[in-house]
Amino acid sequence: RVPSLCSLCAMPRRRLDKLALHAQRSCVCPSDFLEKMSKKRTRLTGGVGYALFSSLPLQNTLRVPWVHRLLLVLAVSMVLVRTYTSVVSLSEGTLPAYKYYRFTSLEQRNGSAVPESPGIAMFGLIRKKGELEGSRVSNEGRRLPCVASDAANGTLAVDGASMTLSLAAKAETRYDMWFIRTLEERDTEGMDAVRFVLEGSDDKEAWTTVGSSTIVRYFNAVVFTHGTAKVPEGRGHRLVMDATMSINYWLTNHPPVLFVGFCSALMLAAAGAHLWGARVQIVFFGITGLLRIGAGLGLLLHEQREGLPHYHSKYVIVVGSGVLLSSVVLNSFQKNFLELAAIVPATAQMVMEFVLHRELFGTAFSISSAASGIISSTGMLFIGLLVMTIRWRIMIVAQRRNATAKAVYGGEWRRLCQEQKTDVQRLGETVARLKIRCRNERALQLYPSKQADVQALWRRRSSLLTTVSLLSFQARVHNQKEEKDDRESFFAVNVLQSKTMAQVLMSNSPVRLSPTELGHPVEKLDQLHSQAFLVQDIFQSWVVDLARRNEGKFRLRQPKVDGDGAERLFEAWDGGEDARGRFKLGRVKPVKSAMCKLDMAYNDDVSRLLDMSRETLYFDTVALLEGCLSDLEKDEMVDIVLVKSSMLAQRDGERDGEKDELRAGMPFVRVNVRMAGSEEARSLCVDAHVCELLLVLTDIARLQTPQMYSAYKEWRVCSRALNAVSRLKDMIMLRSIKSSASSSSVEELARGQDQDAERSQQACDSVPVPSESKTVAVAPSPVASQLDGVTGEVQQWRRPGEKASLELKIGAQMEELLEGLARMSALGMSDFLDVQWKSISTSGSNFGFESSSLSGLFFSRHPITAASTRSNFRLFLTILGLWVLVLGGFGVTHFVIQTRDYAFGPYKHYRLETMLTRNGSVGRGVMGPGVSEFGLVGISGCSPYGSFPPEEGDAPEPVPSSAGPLGSSYVVTYPQGGASITGWYLRTLVAEGSEGQDPSYFNVWATNEDLDDVVDWSCALGRDDDRWW
């Protein structure tokens, strides 16, 4: 098929102008200019409504300034409140310091509700962190609860059913737990107290409840329920009452990770990194859900071990699952169901709070018993319902506004269907046939392969090179040997610095790309925009030729009035440059519109933008439109990728599986094609670029008004959500889903293109130019050109008084350079030097590592990374890692074995040697050990002053046979066989003013040698060597 004369004659001049303009763009803008611009956008002009219906609603909502600022204030406030409650909750369940403590029996084991006696032998107070100020307890690896020594010296007094403990002085710190001891007399089990309460007071007048027989941990509070305790029936046995907030309960009710992640995400959004902010939020939601589930499983094991009901663990696991599900929704389904990310966890938490309250207290829900998470869950539920309300309101309003346009279009289409019924049916058959033809095509912007595979592909294509058609590029056919030498000497050496890559890039052939060779999606907006810029005039020339063959028309910029007064909006065009300004023609999609569509519909997937290069044809009848489709089906210039039609025969119910509420209303046919048969497109590596052609009836298009277009834009924003709701409704009602694509896939319709169309700035010259020297209109040196990020056009400005362009001679080398730059941009290789340098400077990957010596690699910029490319060094690291792992395993095993029971012993003699005192005395200046008592800690982990009264089954604690100071040491001796220890304790001197003699540095020695024969005890005196440290 021979192109039109105007297109053929204009091709050399227009082609070089295009290449020169593209080179200007490449020089002014970096290769990733558009990509960086799209990623660095921090503000969203469309508001919250726009953000909620975008493909990334969470990220775009965080871009709204007032939203992330308000949420940041609320989040920081919540963090402060949660931090305070978390710290305070650590002391919940502990006993405040009072001077008097009273134990009162409420019920005995025999059922008596009016006890006459306390029903216990004694009770006492316990601390976990040692004993009184002035004494210390040391142990290895664990700290067990011990009887508080200041409370052990108190007096007990019985008064009816109560027993009062009076302390010598009020303690300065809180007590952690308390214990009771059952009656020691035989046959007194029935008198044991099974329901009781512990109270504290400073004056014996006002009493405060500090303990109970049973407690309930409810979020960050401990509630005394005064239930029946599991009191042992053994005589003289103790029962420890521990109401403290254990780490298991604290972790399940105070997950700090969620709030830290929320604040971090909002701070990133406030700083402009909204994408990272959303990612951090999603990750922390997932981490929080996993942590809560893990904490719930740990709590489940604890409840199983202690014989407790699984109320709390069930609550934590369910709530954690809700948070984890919220993370999944945000990661995979946020574009359609963003509100569920707040509603699901909030609802789960509220329901489980009601269930937990009922199981713990047996009464209706109330927040008076303890502070719960009902406020936070209610707030989250409110946010989710608010988002849902906003989205539904916008969808309903958009549907109502678009209903008028749908009614107008529908009425006209019904009329056309009645008048041209046979043509409409034939159109449907043609569309169905085209859909079957392209059903195996991938409707994505693809290019042949990854950059690493470009060489092999283009070698194969160049091997099939045949004689180039004289109708295409006669002026560019050179002697193959001279062309190769020229490329090697200029483009290969000066630009690519690679002869092989230059041969691959510059090899051209009329071989058509097969679908299997189009495997890699376009990933950058810069590459896609360059392809659209280079293919636009080729595509437009083909559309003009298609319109001429099938009586297609273009829309006029200004309506034309005929002699009879009729107004014409559409007219045929032969492609002449003189008449170009009269028509609204398609052009490269504006960058702003492309970024908007990536936000709204495509989740930043550039490969799904199929309308970067677009055009619209109008037909007077359905028969002409169907004939154009049939002609297009036979056209060898293009490969059809996708066909979509809303021009279907009217019938009741759904049309082609598409519901009425999911249609915009305007009948049209959309065809996406690749210019696979164009030699010029193949020469510029844009034959794989997908272009869009819309076919619309003139009777339909002339109905469009600005109000209808505005309503359509509002409907298009929420069309994807409408489709998701429809699919969800079908799933619930168990209906089969026939719709293959929602109306959100309907791209820019003819009316949208008409609004955006601008005049093309390309020239046409029919004068042939010699091949060795070609004329091209390029900007002179003072003229700068730059890509407009708002309109997507290439604009030029000049200094006052200077010409806009000059006629310059373009040689063969410059022509090759322009074409090479265009090919590199189309293949996404414009930044190959930046990519290679980045891989070397950041990751340290360099092919030179494979040929360098191993010793030389350690002097590179990344020595470890470079050396890791060698197999011998990787083997060395593997062996080293295994060795460290084995040593670590032995160390952990040794620690577990050595600290399982006792840490040292058994030994007969233990000696504490003071090396340095508080006043600085050292060596022989140390006159004594500086302690009033030194002793050992047994298996109980408590000193004799903090040990529980012994009961049946307890292991006996070792009792020393002698103990006392000796020189600067304190020696303790045990009977035959010695004693094993878990640690030791000491008491400071009691005398006033003896603080300076306290030991600041001391050693503890042990031996099994017999000391009876020792005469000279000078070894126990202070040492002369003052360098002992």
Side-chain angles (χ1 to χ4, degrees):
R1 185 175 59 85
V2 180
S4 65
L5 181 61
C6 179
S7 299
L8 181 61
C9 296
M11 188 176 297
R13 172 68 177 275
R14 176 167 46 82
R15 181 174 181 276
L16 289 178
D17 282 344
K18 175 174 62 178
L19 295 180
L21 193 58
H22 175 270
Q24 289 181 338
R25 174 187 183 275
S26 301
C27 293
V28 173
C29 302
S31 59
D32 57 350
F33 172 72
L34 297 181
E35 193 71 19
K36 286 185 176 180
M37 186 172 64
S38 64
K39 301 301 182 184
K40 290 183 178 180
R41 289 177 299 159
T42 58
R43 292 179 177 270
L44 195 69
T45 57
V48 177
Y50 173 91
L52 292 179
F53 284 98
S54 63
S55 58
L56 297 173
L58 178 61
Q59 289 87 328
N60 290 325
T61 302
L62 293 178
R63 286 167 55 187
V64 181
W66 69 266
V67 172
H68 64 244
R69 292 170 185 170
L70 176 61
L71 291 179
L72 182 59
V73 172
L74 296 177
V76 171
S77 303
M78 183 62 68
V79 167
L80 295 177
V81 172
R82 282 292 183 142
T83 302
Y84 172 77
T85 56
S86 298
V87 173
V88 171
S89 66
L90 291 175
S91 61
E92 284 292 325
T94 59
L95 282 68
Y98 289 105
K99 188 175 182 180
Y100 305 100
Y101 292 90
R102 183 176 66 183
F103 173 91
T104 302
S105 175
L106 302 178
E107 183 179 350
Q108 294 179 344
R109 195 190 301 272
N110 56 18
S112 175
V114 186
E116 297 180 356
S117 64
I120 58 173
M122 62 165 296
F123 75 94
L125 308 178
I126 302 173
R127 281 197 181 95
K128 292 182 180 179
K129 299 181 180 180
E131 302 175 28
L132 279 177
E133 186 70 23
S135 62
R136 294 289 184 269
V137 175
S138 172
N139 52 53
E140 296 293 328
R142 56 183 176 176
R143 191 175 295 279
L144 301 179
C146 302
V147 176
S149 56
D150 56 341
N153 297 328
T155 59
L156 293 172
V158 177
D159 183 12
S162 299
M163 178 181 292
T164 304
L165 173 63
S166 301
L167 305 181
K170 180 180 178 180
E172 298 181 1
T173 58
R174 303 170 69 95
Y175 300 98
D176 296 308
M177 298 179 291
W178 59 292
F179 72 95
I180 62 173
R181 186 180 175 89
T182 59
L183 298 172
E184 299 179 358
E185 295 80 6
R186 297 172 59 88
D187 301 327
T188 57
E189 291 83 357
M191 300 174 59
D192 290 341
V194 293
R195 292 182 57 246
F196 44 84
V197 62
L198 181 67
E199 300 168 300
S201 175
D202 289 327
D203 54 7
K204 292 187 178 183
E205 297 293 335
W207 294 92
T208 303
T209 301
V210 296
S212 174
S213 52
T214 56
I215 57 97
V216 168
R217 296 179 179 87
Y218 189 62
F219 294 98
N220 61 340
V222 174
V223 182
F224 302 117
T225 56
H226 310 311
T228 302
K230 296 181 180 180
V231 180
E233 296 184 2
R235 299 299 84 196
H237 285 210
R238 61 177 175 270
L239 174 65
V240 177
M241 310 302 298
D242 183 6
T244 57
M245 185 69 69
S246 65
I247 190 64
N248 291 328
Y249 289 97
W250 188 86
L251 288 177
T252 55
N253 296 321
H254 300 87
V257 178
L258 176 62
F259 302 101
V260 173
F262 195 43
C263 288
S264 302
L266 293 174
M267 286 188 289
L268 286 173
H274 56 277
L275 290 176
W276 277 106
R279 292 169 184 169
V280 168
Q281 184 61 61
I282 294 173
V283 170
F284 272 95
F285 260 86
I287 293 177
T288 302
L290 293 176
L291 289 179
R292 298 203 74 168
I293 293 176
L297 294 176
L299 185 59
L300 178 65
L301 295 177
H302 171 74
E303 292 172 343
Q304 185 74 24
R305 185 172 58 253
E306 299 294 333
L308 301 174
H310 305 313
Y311 300 150
H312 290 89
S313 59
K314 179 173 61 177
Y315 166 83
V316 175
I317 292 175
V318 173
V319 173
S321 301
V323 177
L324 184 61
L325 181 60
S326 175
S327 175
V328 175
V329 171
L330 289 177
N331 185 62
S332 304
F333 308 103
Q334 60 166 298
K335 62 181 179 181
N336 294 324
F337 305 106
L338 176 65
E339 55 270 14
L340 294 183
I343 294 177
V344 169
T347 304
Q349 184 171 355
M350 294 182 68
V351 172
M352 291 307 300
E353 282 191 35
F354 296 150
V355 174
L356 180 63
H357 191 280
R358 172 72 66 176
E359 291 175 339
L360 292 178
F361 303 105
T363 59
F365 179 78
S366 172
I367 62 174
S368 58
S369 56
S372 64
I374 190 67
I375 298 178
S376 60
S377 58
T378 303
M380 186 176 294
L381 182 62
F382 172 77
I383 293 176
L385 294 177
L386 179 63
V387 172
M388 177 182 289
T389 303
I390 294 175
R391 286 163 61 94
W392 275 98
R393 182 181 179 277
I394 293 176
M395 286 191 293
I396 293 173
V397 172
Q399 284 279 65
R400 289 177 178 175
R401 290 198 59 188
N402 196 50
T404 303
K406 291 175 62 176
V408 173
Y409 289 133
E412 182 65 18
W413 177 242
R414 284 191 293 271
R415 182 186 68 81
L416 293 174
C417 287
Q418 293 175 359
E419 296 177 356
Q420 308 176 44
K421 182 177 181 180
T422 304
D423 296 333
V424 172
Q425 293 178 349
R426 189 166 58 250
L427 174 63
E429 295 173 357
T430 303
V431 170
R433 187 170 62 251
L434 289 175
K435 286 185 177 180
I436 295 175
R437 173 181 173 180
C438 61
R439 61 185 175 184
N440 295 326
E441 294 283 349
R442 297 177 61 187
L444 295 174
Q445 295 287 6
L446 307 171
Y447 65 97
S449 59
K450 296 184 178 180
Q451 296 177 6
D453 302 327
V454 171
Q455 178 176 342
L457 174 64
W458 281 84
R459 276 181 176 173
R460 189 190 69 81
R461 295 183 61 177
S462 61
S463 65
L464 300 177
L465 183 62
T466 59
T467 304
V468 181
S469 174
L470 295 177
L471 293 176
S472 58
F473 298 106
Q474 291 181 352
R476 296 188 62 252
V477 177
H478 301 284
N479 179 274
Q480 295 296 322
K481 184 177 185 302
E482 294 177 356
E483 186 178 11
K484 177 180 179 181
D485 295 340
D486 187 45
R487 286 168 179 166
E488 289 181 354
S489 61
F490 182 76
F491 191 68
V493 175
N494 297 285
V495 180
L496 298 178
Q497 301 180 14
S498 171
K499 297 180 181 180
T500 303
M501 185 177 291
Q503 292 174 0
V504 168
L505 280 176
M506 301 307 294
S507 296
N508 182 38
S509 77
V511 179
R512 201 184 193 106
L513 280 174
S514 64
T516 57
E517 293 173 326
L518 299 175
H520 191 64
V522 176
E523 298 177 349
K524 292 186 178 181
L525 186 58
D526 298 87
Q527 180 183 356
L528 188 64
H529 191 275
S530 296
Q531 291 180 354
F533 176 79
L534 295 171
V535 81
Q536 173 64 22
D537 63 320
I538 306 173
F539 172 65
Q540 193 175 80
S541 299
W542 172 78
V543 173
V544 170
D545 188 66
L546 181 68
R548 184 174 59 256
R549 298 196 309 266
N550 298 279
E551 301 182 28
K553 298 181 179 181
F554 295 86
R555 192 181 188 106
L556 294 169
R557 287 185 176 274
Q558 297 295 333
K560 184 177 180 180
V561 180
D562 295 334
D564 56 356
E567 188 178 72
R568 284 193 299 170
L569 297 177
F570 311 96
E571 195 174 87
W573 178 46
D574 61 355
E577 289 297 320
D578 296 337
R580 178 184 291 271
R582 296 170 49 205
F583 298 94
K584 290 183 177 181
L585 302 176
R587 60 186 175 94
V588 177
K589 190 177 186 68
V591 176
K592 181 179 179 180
S593 178
M595 292 182 180
C596 176
K597 183 165 288 188
L598 290 175
D599 273 344
M600 293 301 300
Y602 294 151
N603 196 13
D604 285 341
D605 186 356
V606 178
S607 65
R608 298 174 64 185
L609 275 174
L610 304 181
D611 60 342
M612 287 296 292
S613 181
R614 53 191 176 174
E615 193 54 83
T616 305
L617 286 181
Y618 300 89
F619 298 89
D620 291 331
T621 64
V622 177
L624 291 176
L625 193 149
E626 190 276 334
C628 180
L629 276 179
S630 299
D631 187 16
L632 193 151
E633 182 181 9
K634 304 173 185 177
D635 199 330
E636 295 295 331
M637 183 66 68
V638 298
D639 285 344
I640 301 176
V641 176
L642 180 65
V643 177
K644 179 173 177 63
S645 174
S646 58
M647 302 177 68
L648 302 176
Q650 289 286 333
R651 56 179 179 266
D652 296 335
E654 302 173 1
R655 298 188 307 181
D656 195 31
E658 188 178 38
K659 299 178 178 59
D660 180 70
E661 65 269 18
L662 302 181
R663 294 196 306 270
M666 184 177 184
F668 71 99
V669 176
R670 187 191 70 200
V671 184
N672 292 99
V673 298
R674 294 191 179 102
M675 305 302 299
S678 171
E679 295 177 358
E680 184 180 1
R682 287 201 297 271
S683 70
L684 297 178
C685 303
V686 293
D687 50 332
H689 184 84
V690 179
C691 306
E692 181 177 285
L693 175 63
L694 290 180
L695 308 178
V696 187
L697 293 175
T698 56
D699 291 337
I700 297 295
R702 62 168 46 97
L703 299 176
Q704 180 249 332
T705 63
Q707 293 77 15
M708 295 167 64
Y709 179 58
S710 176
Y712 161 73
K713 289 195 298 183
E714 293 182 6
W715 173 88
R716 185 179 59 188
V717 168
C718 56
S719 58
R720 188 183 62 254
L722 288 170
N723 180 67
V725 172
S726 177
R727 288 176 180 270
L728 182 62
K729 182 176 68 175
D730 286 343
M731 293 174 61
I732 295 176
M733 299 180 65
L734 300 179
R735 295 176 54 189
S736 60
I737 308 300
K738 298 181 180 180
S739 178
S740 60
S742 69
S743 299
S744 61
S745 63
V746 179
E747 311 302 341
E748 298 289 334
L749 298 184
R751 51 189 176 184
Q753 298 180 17
D754 297 338
Q755 294 288 336
D756 294 335
E758 295 292 339
R759 180 178 180 180
S760 175
Q761 300 295 328
Q762 315 218 345
C764 180
D765 191 351
S766 59
V767 180
V769 183
S771 60
E772 64 273 4
S773 179
K774 303 189 178 184
T775 304
V776 57
V778 298
S781 57
V783 179
S785 64
Q786 147 177 333
L787 183 66
D788 186 356
V790 178
T791 64
E793 299 174 346
V794 178
Q795 298 180 345
Q796 292 186 347
W797 60 90
R798 64 180 186 271
R799 299 176 183 174
E802 295 183 342
K803 295 182 178 181
S805 63
L806 296 175
E807 296 291 330
L808 299 178
K809 298 295 181 180
I810 298 297
Q813 289 184 343
M814 182 57 66
E815 179 190 355
E816 178 193 0
L817 173 61
L818 297 179
E819 183 178 341
L821 292 175
R823 293 187 179 207
M824 291 175 63
S825 297
L827 291 174
M829 299 177 62
S830 297
D831 59 345
F832 76 99
L833 290 178
D834 295 329
V835 172
Q836 185 176 2
W837 172 247
K838 184 177 180 180
S839 65
I840 295 175
S841 60
T842 58
S843 62
S845 59
N846 190 347
F847 294 111
F849 294 158
E850 300 177 0
S851 58
S852 301
S853 63
L854 182 61
S855 59
L857 295 179
F858 289 100
F859 292 93
S860 62
R861 186 172 182 178
H862 300 274
I864 302 300
T865 304
S868 298
T869 60
R870 300 299 182 84
S871 58
N872 49 2
F873 186 74
R874 289 197 296 265
L875 179 61
F876 168 74
L877 291 180
T878 303
I879 296 175
L880 182 61
L882 292 176
W883 175 251
V884 173
L885 181 63
V886 171
L887 288 181
F890 278 122
V892 172
T893 304
H894 177 76
F895 175 81
V896 171
I897 293 175
Q898 294 297 323
T899 60
R900 182 185 305 169
D901 296 320
Y902 293 98
F904 304 102
Y907 293 103
K908 294 172 57 179
H909 309 282
Y910 291 88
R911 178 168 67 96
L912 181 145
E913 179 186 16
T914 301
M915 311 296 294
L916 177 68
T917 60
R918 192 192 301 272
N919 58 17
S921 298
V922 65
R924 294 194 177 276
V926 179
M927 305 305 297
V931 299
S932 61
E933 183 178 354
F934 165 70
L936 307 182
V937 176
I939 196 65
S940 67
C942 301
S943 69
Y945 302 97
S947 298
F948 290 97
E951 62 181 37
E952 184 180 355
D954 288 349
E957 294 291 340
V959 178
S961 58
S962 63
L966 185 60
S968 61
S969 301
Y970 198 104
V971 181
V972 179
T973 301
Y974 285 86
Q976 188 69 25
S980 299
I981 64 173
T982 59
W984 57 85
Y985 74 94
L986 61 85
R987 282 181 174 269
T988 56
L989 296 174
V990 181
E992 292 291 337
S994 60
E995 290 83 359
Q997 302 179 35
D998 292 342
S1000 296
Y1001 186 95
F1002 57 89
N1003 292 324
V1004 176
W1005 305 89
T1007 182
N1008 283 321
E1009 296 181 0
D1010 193 358
L1011 302 181
D1012 295 338
D1013 298 333
V1014 177
V1015 179
D1016 183 10
W1017 288 94
S1018 60
C1019 62
L1021 302 178
R1023 301 185 183 184
D1024 291 330
D1025 188 2
D1026 58 355
R1027 293 183 298 172
W1028 48 269
W1029 53 85

